[in-house]
Amino acid sequence: MSLLVIGSVAFDALETPFGKTDKIVGGAASYISLSSSYFVKPVNLVAVVGGDFLKSDIELFQEHGVDTAGLQIKENEKSFFWSGRYFNDMNSRETLVTELNVLGDFDPIIPEAYQNCEYLMLGNLAPQVQRTVIERLQNRPKLIVMDTMNFWMDIAYDELIKTIALVDVLSINDEEARQLSGEYSLVKAARKIMAMGPKYLIIKKGEHGALLFGQNEIFYAPALPLEDVFDPTGAGDTFAGGFIGYLAKAGDVSFNNMKSAVIHGSAMASFCVEKFGTERLVNLSQEEIDARVQLFADLVRF
Amino acid sequence: MSLLVIGSVAFDALETPFGKTDKIVGGAASYISLSSSYFVKPVNLVAVVGGDFLKSDIELFQEHGVDTAGLQIKENEKSFFWSGRYFNDMNSRETLVTELNVLGDFDPIIPEAYQNCEYLMLGNLAPQVQRTVIERLQNRPKLIVMDTMNFWMDIAYDELIKTIALVDVLSINDEEARQLSGEYSLVKAARKIMAMGPKYLIIKKGEHGALLFGQNEIFYAPALPLEDVFDPTGAGDTFAGGFIGYLAKAGDVSFNNMKSAVIHGSAMASFCVEKFGTERLVNLSQEEIDARVQLFADLVRF
């Protein structure tokens, strides 16, 4: 049941064809913990913010069942900040500003109460920091899921490979799977990546859905065709949060249950992109989630 | 039951990262009629070739239950010829040669025995030629499916719109749906395109599967993740052939049955890309098709 989430909690400033925001709450761990909180509570969070992070935003996490005992607050520093602009097709974006700030020397301290977690979600971060978390846990969790991105393939390849070798499920997008494996065919890419350590691989394909690979099994989860994608930021993190939250709730890490977890993650991601940032994620009802999962089921039933 | 197929029967010369071919049988109607022949016989074919087309290739069609009474042979002219080269990702290609030859002034003559067809498949051709076929049928078929491509959107837009208005199902790819509608969102694109006439729209997304839109319904058919795509030529036509062949066999044009038809079309397309040209399509067994359809079912079941 117990879920530990690590990743960035940050400020984002976003610009899409539909509008722009000032600094709003962002960061992989924000999306992951809010998303997973609809499945399991508490969500134990390990992250770092600066003195500029609002108390009311921390309270918002707490109201969703996120335990923030592991959220370090560096009063005299500033929170990680990222600013980006999406192009018209919403599939590509440019980074305008990246300020590492507190994330630059983030030391992930695990509160004693967070030890013995059964489910560990490593949100996108420097792979050596992700690995430190695994090393600091006294017992290996039942399931470790790791999300990462091409940035670390470019600048920290060796560290990344060492960390990937330790996890059960790796979650990356299709371009990243191709980059990491050097294979264009996703079937071949999956085989190579699973040989690096993970028993399961999730390849996220955005508007084209997601693939879940096991040793001898493949599952294809569609994406819901949407009227508009308002803001894709955090969709992959929200997916990961729904995925591991569903597994932690069920306490079942079979491939069969992972299929349902992928669908629930996809459903959560489909909400995320409907509004800016985490806006949609903080106001969801169980009925809305159930109805959305049913839409996914109907979408592929024949 | 009775199915009429119109489109090009031609020679292709193909180059992919896996090899290259001399002139082999190609053309939309070749793929469509071979694919649909696994579901319904006879497939009545209306097309035109030159004197250079091999008698043995025509016999191959006949052996698959394709009636070639409507295949015009212009002894002193040459068959339509297209040559293309695929790039490494197999998703983009360049045209090396296009020789219209007999297709330049193709007059689609419908043999009397082909009248009263219930299912009409308009393979990719000049839209005015596709429309002529509809006009020459004494009774409107129960279902008209039309495939087309961006080329006609560029050079024959008005003719295309007039023809689209007359059909029940339009089949195009995602980029073409965006071009035709001026909408990036496929949901919005589908709504606009269906307002042009078709009651149903199929959006083909290649390795990402296909979407079937009805007035208030959406179905998402996955594509089978493949080890290798050997040659994508004709995959869309093969899909269309499987789609209409399945419908014609069942005699059921409900949305529900169209979902199964999309899966069967996708399964046929997944065979097509395994070898060059029509090579894989002329050597399929019912058992192979059933097993492949089962793979598609397993792929999305959760």
Side-chain angles (χ1 to χ4, degrees), chain A residues 89 91 184-185 188 191 205 208 219-220 226-228 259 299, chain B residues 89 91 184-185 188 191 205 208 219-220 226-228 259 299 301:
Chain A
D89 68 1
N91 280 330
Y184 185 80
S185 156
K188 288 183 178 173
R191 195 180 302 129
K205 305 201 298 172
H208 305 301
F219 174 63
Y220 194 134
L226 295 170
E227 191 85 14
D228 283 309
K259 292 180 182 182
L299 195 60
Chain B
D89 68 1
N91 280 329
Y184 185 79
S185 156
K188 288 184 177 174
R191 195 180 302 129
K205 305 202 297 173
H208 305 302
F219 175 63
Y220 194 134
L226 295 171
E227 191 86 13
D228 284 308
K259 292 180 181 183
L299 195 60
R301 187 189 298 129

PDB file of all heavy atoms in Angstrom, chain A residues 89 91 184-185 188 191 205 208 219-220 226-228 259 299, chain B residues 89 91 184-185 188 191 205 208 219-220 226-228 259 299 301:
ATOM      1  N   ASP A  89       1.120  22.755 -32.635  1.00  0.00           N
ATOM      2  CA  ASP A  89       0.671  21.366 -32.681  1.00  0.00           C
ATOM      3  C   ASP A  89       0.686  20.725 -31.296  1.00  0.00           C
ATOM      4  O   ASP A  89       0.253  19.589 -31.137  1.00  0.00           O
ATOM      5  CB  ASP A  89       1.515  20.551 -33.668  1.00  0.00           C
ATOM      6  CG  ASP A  89       2.945  20.367 -33.188  1.00  0.00           C
ATOM      7  OD1 ASP A  89       3.275  20.854 -32.084  1.00  0.00           O
ATOM      8  OD2 ASP A  89       3.720  19.735 -33.907  1.00  0.00           O
ATOM      9  N   ASN A  91       2.725  19.290 -29.760  1.00  0.00           N
ATOM     10  CA  ASN A  91       3.616  18.144 -29.606  1.00  0.00           C
ATOM     11  C   ASN A  91       5.064  18.563 -29.429  1.00  0.00           C
ATOM     12  O   ASN A  91       5.918  17.758 -29.084  1.00  0.00           O
ATOM     13  CB  ASN A  91       3.514  17.206 -30.813  1.00  0.00           C
ATOM     14  CG  ASN A  91       2.297  16.318 -30.715  1.00  0.00           C
ATOM     15  OD1 ASN A  91       1.849  15.980 -29.623  1.00  0.00           O
ATOM     16  ND2 ASN A  91       1.744  15.955 -31.851  1.00  0.00           N
ATOM     17  N   TYR A 184      14.885   1.887 -34.094  1.00  0.00           N
ATOM     18  CA  TYR A 184      13.676   2.603 -34.488  1.00  0.00           C
ATOM     19  C   TYR A 184      12.418   1.809 -34.121  1.00  0.00           C
ATOM     20  O   TYR A 184      11.454   2.358 -33.588  1.00  0.00           O
ATOM     21  CB  TYR A 184      13.675   2.928 -35.982  1.00  0.00           C
ATOM     22  CG  TYR A 184      12.468   3.763 -36.322  1.00  0.00           C
ATOM     23  CD1 TYR A 184      12.468   5.128 -36.058  1.00  0.00           C
ATOM     24  CD2 TYR A 184      11.308   3.189 -36.830  1.00  0.00           C
ATOM     25  CE1 TYR A 184      11.352   5.908 -36.297  1.00  0.00           C
ATOM     26  CE2 TYR A 184      10.182   3.954 -37.068  1.00  0.00           C
ATOM     27  CZ  TYR A 184      10.213   5.314 -36.806  1.00  0.00           C
ATOM     28  OH  TYR A 184       9.091   6.063 -37.039  1.00  0.00           O
ATOM     29  N   SER A 185      12.443   0.530 -34.377  1.00  0.00           N
ATOM     30  CA  SER A 185      11.294  -0.330 -34.042  1.00  0.00           C
ATOM     31  C   SER A 185      11.110  -0.349 -32.529  1.00  0.00           C
ATOM     32  O   SER A 185      12.036  -0.668 -31.777  1.00  0.00           O
ATOM     33  CB  SER A 185      11.550  -1.758 -34.543  1.00  0.00           C
ATOM     34  OG  SER A 185      10.793  -2.696 -33.797  1.00  0.00           O
ATOM     35  N   LYS A 188      11.839  -3.774 -30.936  1.00  0.00           N
ATOM     36  CA  LYS A 188      13.268  -4.007 -30.717  1.00  0.00           C
ATOM     37  C   LYS A 188      13.808  -3.119 -29.603  1.00  0.00           C
ATOM     38  O   LYS A 188      14.626  -3.550 -28.778  1.00  0.00           O
ATOM     39  CB  LYS A 188      14.051  -3.735 -32.005  1.00  0.00           C
ATOM     40  CG  LYS A 188      13.843  -4.782 -33.078  1.00  0.00           C
ATOM     41  CD  LYS A 188      14.715  -4.481 -34.288  1.00  0.00           C
ATOM     42  CE  LYS A 188      14.550  -5.561 -35.339  1.00  0.00           C
ATOM     43  NZ  LYS A 188      15.254  -5.214 -36.591  1.00  0.00           N
ATOM     44  N   ARG A 191      12.933  -4.532 -26.244  1.00  0.00           N
ATOM     45  CA  ARG A 191      13.738  -5.702 -25.879  1.00  0.00           C
ATOM     46  C   ARG A 191      15.106  -5.270 -25.344  1.00  0.00           C
ATOM     47  O   ARG A 191      15.590  -5.752 -24.320  1.00  0.00           O
ATOM     48  CB  ARG A 191      13.883  -6.621 -27.095  1.00  0.00           C
ATOM     49  CG  ARG A 191      14.378  -8.012 -26.729  1.00  0.00           C
ATOM     50  CD  ARG A 191      14.509  -8.908 -27.936  1.00  0.00           C
ATOM     51  NE  ARG A 191      13.268  -9.048 -28.651  1.00  0.00           N
ATOM     52  CZ  ARG A 191      13.118  -8.863 -29.970  1.00  0.00           C
ATOM     53  NH1 ARG A 191      14.150  -8.520 -30.709  1.00  0.00           N
ATOM     54  NH2 ARG A 191      11.954  -9.012 -30.537  1.00  0.00           N
ATOM     55  N   LYS A 205       3.234   7.556 -25.830  1.00  0.00           N
ATOM     56  CA  LYS A 205       3.201   8.106 -27.183  1.00  0.00           C
ATOM     57  C   LYS A 205       2.257   9.310 -27.293  1.00  0.00           C
ATOM     58  O   LYS A 205       1.754   9.600 -28.377  1.00  0.00           O
ATOM     59  CB  LYS A 205       2.794   7.012 -28.170  1.00  0.00           C
ATOM     60  CG  LYS A 205       3.697   5.764 -28.086  1.00  0.00           C
ATOM     61  CD  LYS A 205       3.649   4.922 -29.354  1.00  0.00           C
ATOM     62  CE  LYS A 205       2.281   4.386 -29.651  1.00  0.00           C
ATOM     63  NZ  LYS A 205       2.230   3.745 -30.987  1.00  0.00           N
ATOM     64  N   HIS A 208      -1.064   9.378 -29.095  1.00  0.00           N
ATOM     65  CA  HIS A 208      -1.231   8.044 -29.672  1.00  0.00           C
ATOM     66  C   HIS A 208      -1.310   6.946 -28.614  1.00  0.00           C
ATOM     67  O   HIS A 208      -1.261   5.769 -28.946  1.00  0.00           O
ATOM     68  CB  HIS A 208      -0.088   7.735 -30.637  1.00  0.00           C
ATOM     69  CG  HIS A 208       0.078   8.755 -31.713  1.00  0.00           C
ATOM     70  ND1 HIS A 208      -0.937   9.061 -32.595  1.00  0.00           N
ATOM     71  CD2 HIS A 208       1.115   9.558 -32.050  1.00  0.00           C
ATOM     72  CE1 HIS A 208      -0.511  10.007 -33.430  1.00  0.00           C
ATOM     73  NE2 HIS A 208       0.723  10.326 -33.109  1.00  0.00           N
ATOM     74  N   PHE A 219       0.859  -4.646 -24.288  1.00  0.00           N
ATOM     75  CA  PHE A 219      -0.475  -4.082 -24.121  1.00  0.00           C
ATOM     76  C   PHE A 219      -0.466  -2.683 -24.730  1.00  0.00           C
ATOM     77  O   PHE A 219       0.470  -1.916 -24.550  1.00  0.00           O
ATOM     78  CB  PHE A 219      -0.834  -4.011 -22.635  1.00  0.00           C
ATOM     79  CG  PHE A 219      -2.134  -3.310 -22.347  1.00  0.00           C
ATOM     80  CD1 PHE A 219      -3.329  -3.831 -22.828  1.00  0.00           C
ATOM     81  CD2 PHE A 219      -2.166  -2.135 -21.607  1.00  0.00           C
ATOM     82  CE1 PHE A 219      -4.546  -3.191 -22.563  1.00  0.00           C
ATOM     83  CE2 PHE A 219      -3.369  -1.488 -21.340  1.00  0.00           C
ATOM     84  CZ  PHE A 219      -4.557  -2.022 -21.818  1.00  0.00           C
ATOM     85  N   TYR A 220      -1.524  -2.377 -25.475  1.00  0.00           N
ATOM     86  CA  TYR A 220      -1.633  -1.069 -26.123  1.00  0.00           C
ATOM     87  C   TYR A 220      -2.801  -0.318 -25.501  1.00  0.00           C
ATOM     88  O   TYR A 220      -3.941  -0.725 -25.670  1.00  0.00           O
ATOM     89  CB  TYR A 220      -1.870  -1.259 -27.627  1.00  0.00           C
ATOM     90  CG  TYR A 220      -1.673  -0.012 -28.473  1.00  0.00           C
ATOM     91  CD1 TYR A 220      -0.951  -0.059 -29.654  1.00  0.00           C
ATOM     92  CD2 TYR A 220      -2.207   1.215 -28.104  1.00  0.00           C
ATOM     93  CE1 TYR A 220      -0.756   1.066 -30.448  1.00  0.00           C
ATOM     94  CE2 TYR A 220      -2.019   2.341 -28.882  1.00  0.00           C
ATOM     95  CZ  TYR A 220      -1.296   2.267 -30.052  1.00  0.00           C
ATOM     96  OH  TYR A 220      -1.114   3.385 -30.823  1.00  0.00           O
ATOM     97  N   LEU A 226      -9.067  13.929 -27.957  1.00  0.00           N
ATOM     98  CA  LEU A 226      -9.607  15.080 -27.233  1.00  0.00           C
ATOM     99  C   LEU A 226      -9.930  16.223 -28.180  1.00  0.00           C
ATOM    100  O   LEU A 226      -9.251  16.444 -29.185  1.00  0.00           O
ATOM    101  CB  LEU A 226      -8.595  15.563 -26.189  1.00  0.00           C
ATOM    102  CG  LEU A 226      -8.292  14.590 -25.044  1.00  0.00           C
ATOM    103  CD1 LEU A 226      -7.108  15.074 -24.224  1.00  0.00           C
ATOM    104  CD2 LEU A 226      -9.527  14.412 -24.169  1.00  0.00           C
ATOM    105  N   GLU A 227     -10.974  16.916 -27.830  1.00  0.00           N
ATOM    106  CA  GLU A 227     -11.389  18.129 -28.549  1.00  0.00           C
ATOM    107  C   GLU A 227     -10.209  19.115 -28.605  1.00  0.00           C
ATOM    108  O   GLU A 227      -9.824  19.592 -29.656  1.00  0.00           O
ATOM    109  CB  GLU A 227     -12.543  18.748 -27.759  1.00  0.00           C
ATOM    110  CG  GLU A 227     -13.284  19.842 -28.448  1.00  0.00           C
ATOM    111  CD  GLU A 227     -14.376  19.283 -29.348  1.00  0.00           C
ATOM    112  OE1 GLU A 227     -14.721  18.088 -29.237  1.00  0.00           O
ATOM    113  OE2 GLU A 227     -14.877  20.060 -30.156  1.00  0.00           O
ATOM    114  N   ASP A 228      -9.646  19.397 -27.448  1.00  0.00           N
ATOM    115  CA  ASP A 228      -8.492  20.283 -27.361  1.00  0.00           C
ATOM    116  C   ASP A 228      -7.528  19.768 -26.311  1.00  0.00           C
ATOM    117  O   ASP A 228      -7.961  19.255 -25.281  1.00  0.00           O
ATOM    118  CB  ASP A 228      -8.917  21.694 -26.919  1.00  0.00           C
ATOM    119  CG  ASP A 228      -9.552  22.466 -28.045  1.00  0.00           C
ATOM    120  OD1 ASP A 228      -8.940  22.534 -29.130  1.00  0.00           O
ATOM    121  OD2 ASP A 228     -10.659  22.982 -27.851  1.00  0.00           O
ATOM    122  N   LYS A 259      -1.928  -3.615 -16.812  1.00  0.00           N
ATOM    123  CA  LYS A 259      -2.731  -3.119 -17.933  1.00  0.00           C
ATOM    124  C   LYS A 259      -3.792  -2.123 -17.434  1.00  0.00           C
ATOM    125  O   LYS A 259      -3.931  -1.030 -17.979  1.00  0.00           O
ATOM    126  CB  LYS A 259      -3.449  -4.279 -18.621  1.00  0.00           C
ATOM    127  CG  LYS A 259      -2.577  -5.261 -19.369  1.00  0.00           C
ATOM    128  CD  LYS A 259      -3.491  -6.309 -19.977  1.00  0.00           C
ATOM    129  CE  LYS A 259      -2.774  -7.391 -20.728  1.00  0.00           C
ATOM    130  NZ  LYS A 259      -3.732  -8.348 -21.342  1.00  0.00           N
ATOM    131  N   LEU A 299     -13.746   2.810 -25.787  1.00  0.00           N
ATOM    132  CA  LEU A 299     -13.002   3.252 -26.975  1.00  0.00           C
ATOM    133  C   LEU A 299     -12.383   2.099 -27.752  1.00  0.00           C
ATOM    134  O   LEU A 299     -12.209   2.176 -28.971  1.00  0.00           O
ATOM    135  CB  LEU A 299     -11.894   4.194 -26.491  1.00  0.00           C
ATOM    136  CG  LEU A 299     -11.170   5.074 -27.490  1.00  0.00           C
ATOM    137  CD1 LEU A 299     -12.153   5.993 -28.187  1.00  0.00           C
ATOM    138  CD2 LEU A 299     -10.105   5.898 -26.766  1.00  0.00           C
TER     139      LEU A 299
ATOM    140  N   ASP B  89      13.055   5.954 -41.214  1.00  0.00           N
ATOM    141  CA  ASP B  89      12.003   5.798 -40.213  1.00  0.00           C
ATOM    142  C   ASP B  89      10.759   5.158 -40.821  1.00  0.00           C
ATOM    143  O   ASP B  89       9.810   4.872 -40.108  1.00  0.00           O
ATOM    144  CB  ASP B  89      11.661   7.145 -39.565  1.00  0.00           C
ATOM    145  CG  ASP B  89      10.993   8.104 -40.533  1.00  0.00           C
ATOM    146  OD1 ASP B  89      10.773   7.733 -41.707  1.00  0.00           O
ATOM    147  OD2 ASP B  89      10.668   9.221 -40.114  1.00  0.00           O
ATOM    148  N   ASN B  91       8.369   6.235 -42.144  1.00  0.00           N
ATOM    149  CA  ASN B  91       7.156   7.047 -42.092  1.00  0.00           C
ATOM    150  C   ASN B  91       7.142   8.122 -43.165  1.00  0.00           C
ATOM    151  O   ASN B  91       6.142   8.764 -43.405  1.00  0.00           O
ATOM    152  CB  ASN B  91       7.011   7.720 -40.717  1.00  0.00           C
ATOM    153  CG  ASN B  91       6.455   6.769 -39.687  1.00  0.00           C
ATOM    154  OD1 ASN B  91       5.681   5.875 -40.022  1.00  0.00           O
ATOM    155  ND2 ASN B  91       6.860   6.940 -38.456  1.00  0.00           N
ATOM    156  N   TYR B 184      -6.300  21.055 -36.161  1.00  0.00           N
ATOM    157  CA  TYR B 184      -5.270  20.151 -35.659  1.00  0.00           C
ATOM    158  C   TYR B 184      -5.881  19.019 -34.832  1.00  0.00           C
ATOM    159  O   TYR B 184      -5.522  17.853 -34.981  1.00  0.00           O
ATOM    160  CB  TYR B 184      -4.223  20.910 -34.833  1.00  0.00           C
ATOM    161  CG  TYR B 184      -3.118  19.975 -34.431  1.00  0.00           C
ATOM    162  CD1 TYR B 184      -2.125  19.626 -35.346  1.00  0.00           C
ATOM    163  CD2 TYR B 184      -3.114  19.371 -33.187  1.00  0.00           C
ATOM    164  CE1 TYR B 184      -1.146  18.711 -35.022  1.00  0.00           C
ATOM    165  CE2 TYR B 184      -2.131  18.444 -32.851  1.00  0.00           C
ATOM    166  CZ  TYR B 184      -1.159  18.127 -33.771  1.00  0.00           C
ATOM    167  OH  TYR B 184      -0.197  17.203 -33.439  1.00  0.00           O
ATOM    168  N   SER B 185      -6.836  19.356 -33.994  1.00  0.00           N
ATOM    169  CA  SER B 185      -7.507  18.330 -33.171  1.00  0.00           C
ATOM    170  C   SER B 185      -8.262  17.369 -34.087  1.00  0.00           C
ATOM    171  O   SER B 185      -9.102  17.776 -34.898  1.00  0.00           O
ATOM    172  CB  SER B 185      -8.491  19.003 -32.210  1.00  0.00           C
ATOM    173  OG  SER B 185      -9.510  18.099 -31.832  1.00  0.00           O
ATOM    174  N   LYS B 188     -12.065  17.588 -33.706  1.00  0.00           N
ATOM    175  CA  LYS B 188     -12.663  18.709 -34.464  1.00  0.00           C
ATOM    176  C   LYS B 188     -12.592  18.439 -35.962  1.00  0.00           C
ATOM    177  O   LYS B 188     -13.529  18.743 -36.715  1.00  0.00           O
ATOM    178  CB  LYS B 188     -11.920  20.008 -34.146  1.00  0.00           C
ATOM    179  CG  LYS B 188     -12.199  20.540 -32.749  1.00  0.00           C
ATOM    180  CD  LYS B 188     -11.495  21.878 -32.550  1.00  0.00           C
ATOM    181  CE  LYS B 188     -11.829  22.435 -31.175  1.00  0.00           C
ATOM    182  NZ  LYS B 188     -11.045  23.656 -30.895  1.00  0.00           N
ATOM    183  N   ARG B 191     -15.346  16.112 -37.029  1.00  0.00           N
ATOM    184  CA  ARG B 191     -16.669  16.747 -37.064  1.00  0.00           C
ATOM    185  C   ARG B 191     -16.838  17.552 -38.356  1.00  0.00           C
ATOM    186  O   ARG B 191     -17.863  17.483 -39.026  1.00  0.00           O
ATOM    187  CB  ARG B 191     -16.839  17.641 -35.827  1.00  0.00           C
ATOM    188  CG  ARG B 191     -18.282  18.045 -35.594  1.00  0.00           C
ATOM    189  CD  ARG B 191     -18.432  18.918 -34.364  1.00  0.00           C
ATOM    190  NE  ARG B 191     -17.939  18.283 -33.172  1.00  0.00           N
ATOM    191  CZ  ARG B 191     -17.064  18.853 -32.309  1.00  0.00           C
ATOM    192  NH1 ARG B 191     -16.608  20.064 -32.528  1.00  0.00           N
ATOM    193  NH2 ARG B 191     -16.668  18.206 -31.238  1.00  0.00           N
ATOM    194  N   LYS B 205      -3.557   6.160 -38.791  1.00  0.00           N
ATOM    195  CA  LYS B 205      -2.399   6.775 -38.146  1.00  0.00           C
ATOM    196  C   LYS B 205      -1.162   5.888 -38.236  1.00  0.00           C
ATOM    197  O   LYS B 205      -0.254   6.007 -37.398  1.00  0.00           O
ATOM    198  CB  LYS B 205      -2.726   7.101 -36.685  1.00  0.00           C
ATOM    199  CG  LYS B 205      -3.986   7.981 -36.529  1.00  0.00           C
ATOM    200  CD  LYS B 205      -4.014   8.730 -35.217  1.00  0.00           C
ATOM    201  CE  LYS B 205      -4.078   7.822 -34.029  1.00  0.00           C
ATOM    202  NZ  LYS B 205      -3.927   8.572 -32.766  1.00  0.00           N
ATOM    203  N   HIS B 208       0.472   4.056 -35.349  1.00  0.00           N
ATOM    204  CA  HIS B 208      -0.307   4.409 -34.158  1.00  0.00           C
ATOM    205  C   HIS B 208      -1.750   3.924 -34.241  1.00  0.00           C
ATOM    206  O   HIS B 208      -2.580   4.303 -33.411  1.00  0.00           O
ATOM    207  CB  HIS B 208      -0.284   5.919 -33.938  1.00  0.00           C
ATOM    208  CG  HIS B 208       1.086   6.498 -33.850  1.00  0.00           C
ATOM    209  ND1 HIS B 208       1.994   6.074 -32.904  1.00  0.00           N
ATOM    210  CD2 HIS B 208       1.721   7.432 -34.591  1.00  0.00           C
ATOM    211  CE1 HIS B 208       3.129   6.747 -33.074  1.00  0.00           C
ATOM    212  NE2 HIS B 208       2.991   7.563 -34.086  1.00  0.00           N
ATOM    213  N   PHE B 219     -14.093   4.999 -32.070  1.00  0.00           N
ATOM    214  CA  PHE B 219     -13.445   3.721 -31.808  1.00  0.00           C
ATOM    215  C   PHE B 219     -11.960   3.855 -32.148  1.00  0.00           C
ATOM    216  O   PHE B 219     -11.598   4.445 -33.166  1.00  0.00           O
ATOM    217  CB  PHE B 219     -14.084   2.621 -32.667  1.00  0.00           C
ATOM    218  CG  PHE B 219     -13.400   1.280 -32.549  1.00  0.00           C
ATOM    219  CD1 PHE B 219     -13.352   0.600 -31.341  1.00  0.00           C
ATOM    220  CD2 PHE B 219     -12.790   0.699 -33.663  1.00  0.00           C
ATOM    221  CE1 PHE B 219     -12.719  -0.633 -31.230  1.00  0.00           C
ATOM    222  CE2 PHE B 219     -12.162  -0.533 -33.564  1.00  0.00           C
ATOM    223  CZ  PHE B 219     -12.121  -1.202 -32.349  1.00  0.00           C
ATOM    224  N   TYR B 220     -11.111   3.328 -31.268  1.00  0.00           N
ATOM    225  CA  TYR B 220      -9.668   3.413 -31.476  1.00  0.00           C
ATOM    226  C   TYR B 220      -9.131   2.008 -31.690  1.00  0.00           C
ATOM    227  O   TYR B 220      -9.150   1.185 -30.781  1.00  0.00           O
ATOM    228  CB  TYR B 220      -9.012   4.036 -30.240  1.00  0.00           C
ATOM    229  CG  TYR B 220      -7.576   4.487 -30.436  1.00  0.00           C
ATOM    230  CD1 TYR B 220      -7.148   5.728 -29.994  1.00  0.00           C
ATOM    231  CD2 TYR B 220      -6.630   3.677 -31.067  1.00  0.00           C
ATOM    232  CE1 TYR B 220      -5.840   6.156 -30.156  1.00  0.00           C
ATOM    233  CE2 TYR B 220      -5.321   4.084 -31.242  1.00  0.00           C
ATOM    234  CZ  TYR B 220      -4.940   5.326 -30.782  1.00  0.00           C
ATOM    235  OH  TYR B 220      -3.634   5.743 -30.948  1.00  0.00           O
ATOM    236  N   LEU B 226       5.226  -3.841 -34.416  1.00  0.00           N
ATOM    237  CA  LEU B 226       5.923  -4.830 -35.245  1.00  0.00           C
ATOM    238  C   LEU B 226       7.430  -4.757 -35.050  1.00  0.00           C
ATOM    239  O   LEU B 226       7.999  -3.684 -34.849  1.00  0.00           O
ATOM    240  CB  LEU B 226       5.593  -4.609 -36.721  1.00  0.00           C
ATOM    241  CG  LEU B 226       4.135  -4.837 -37.123  1.00  0.00           C
ATOM    242  CD1 LEU B 226       3.897  -4.362 -38.556  1.00  0.00           C
ATOM    243  CD2 LEU B 226       3.772  -6.313 -36.998  1.00  0.00           C
ATOM    244  N   GLU B 227       8.035  -5.899 -35.121  1.00  0.00           N
ATOM    245  CA  GLU B 227       9.494  -6.026 -35.070  1.00  0.00           C
ATOM    246  C   GLU B 227      10.118  -5.148 -36.165  1.00  0.00           C
ATOM    247  O   GLU B 227      10.989  -4.332 -35.919  1.00  0.00           O
ATOM    248  CB  GLU B 227       9.839  -7.495 -35.322  1.00  0.00           C
ATOM    249  CG  GLU B 227      11.243  -7.875 -35.050  1.00  0.00           C
ATOM    250  CD  GLU B 227      11.454  -8.233 -33.588  1.00  0.00           C
ATOM    251  OE1 GLU B 227      10.464  -8.414 -32.848  1.00  0.00           O
ATOM    252  OE2 GLU B 227      12.615  -8.318 -33.201  1.00  0.00           O
ATOM    253  N   ASP B 228       9.652  -5.335 -37.380  1.00  0.00           N
ATOM    254  CA  ASP B 228      10.123  -4.542 -38.510  1.00  0.00           C
ATOM    255  C   ASP B 228       8.958  -4.226 -39.435  1.00  0.00           C
ATOM    256  O   ASP B 228       8.079  -5.060 -39.613  1.00  0.00           O
ATOM    257  CB  ASP B 228      11.154  -5.327 -39.334  1.00  0.00           C
ATOM    258  CG  ASP B 228      12.503  -5.364 -38.658  1.00  0.00           C
ATOM    259  OD1 ASP B 228      12.996  -4.285 -38.292  1.00  0.00           O
ATOM    260  OD2 ASP B 228      13.050  -6.466 -38.495  1.00  0.00           O
ATOM    261  N   LYS B 259     -16.546  -1.452 -36.227  1.00  0.00           N
ATOM    262  CA  LYS B 259     -15.391  -1.589 -35.326  1.00  0.00           C
ATOM    263  C   LYS B 259     -14.628  -2.879 -35.654  1.00  0.00           C
ATOM    264  O   LYS B 259     -13.402  -2.861 -35.800  1.00  0.00           O
ATOM    265  CB  LYS B 259     -15.863  -1.667 -33.872  1.00  0.00           C
ATOM    266  CG  LYS B 259     -16.479  -0.407 -33.307  1.00  0.00           C
ATOM    267  CD  LYS B 259     -16.869  -0.719 -31.846  1.00  0.00           C
ATOM    268  CE  LYS B 259     -17.525   0.431 -31.148  1.00  0.00           C
ATOM    269  NZ  LYS B 259     -17.814   0.082 -29.723  1.00  0.00           N
ATOM    270  N   LEU B 299      -4.255  -7.434 -27.532  1.00  0.00           N
ATOM    271  CA  LEU B 299      -3.425  -6.239 -27.360  1.00  0.00           C
ATOM    272  C   LEU B 299      -4.117  -5.150 -26.544  1.00  0.00           C
ATOM    273  O   LEU B 299      -3.455  -4.362 -25.862  1.00  0.00           O
ATOM    274  CB  LEU B 299      -3.094  -5.700 -28.754  1.00  0.00           C
ATOM    275  CG  LEU B 299      -1.991  -4.682 -28.918  1.00  0.00           C
ATOM    276  CD1 LEU B 299      -0.678  -5.253 -28.435  1.00  0.00           C
ATOM    277  CD2 LEU B 299      -1.891  -4.273 -30.383  1.00  0.00           C
ATOM    278  N   ARG B 301      -7.064  -5.803 -24.585  1.00  0.00           N
ATOM    279  CA  ARG B 301      -7.947  -6.305 -23.536  1.00  0.00           C
ATOM    280  C   ARG B 301      -7.331  -6.064 -22.163  1.00  0.00           C
ATOM    281  O   ARG B 301      -6.166  -6.348 -21.939  1.00  0.00           O
ATOM    282  CB  ARG B 301      -8.200  -7.805 -23.722  1.00  0.00           C
ATOM    283  CG  ARG B 301      -9.257  -8.324 -22.730  1.00  0.00           C
ATOM    284  CD  ARG B 301      -9.362  -9.817 -22.756  1.00  0.00           C
ATOM    285  NE  ARG B 301      -9.791 -10.301 -24.054  1.00  0.00           N
ATOM    286  CZ  ARG B 301      -9.169 -11.260 -24.734  1.00  0.00           C
ATOM    287  NH1 ARG B 301      -8.102 -11.841 -24.240  1.00  0.00           N
ATOM    288  NH2 ARG B 301      -9.621 -11.642 -25.903  1.00  0.00           N
TER     289      ARG B 301
END
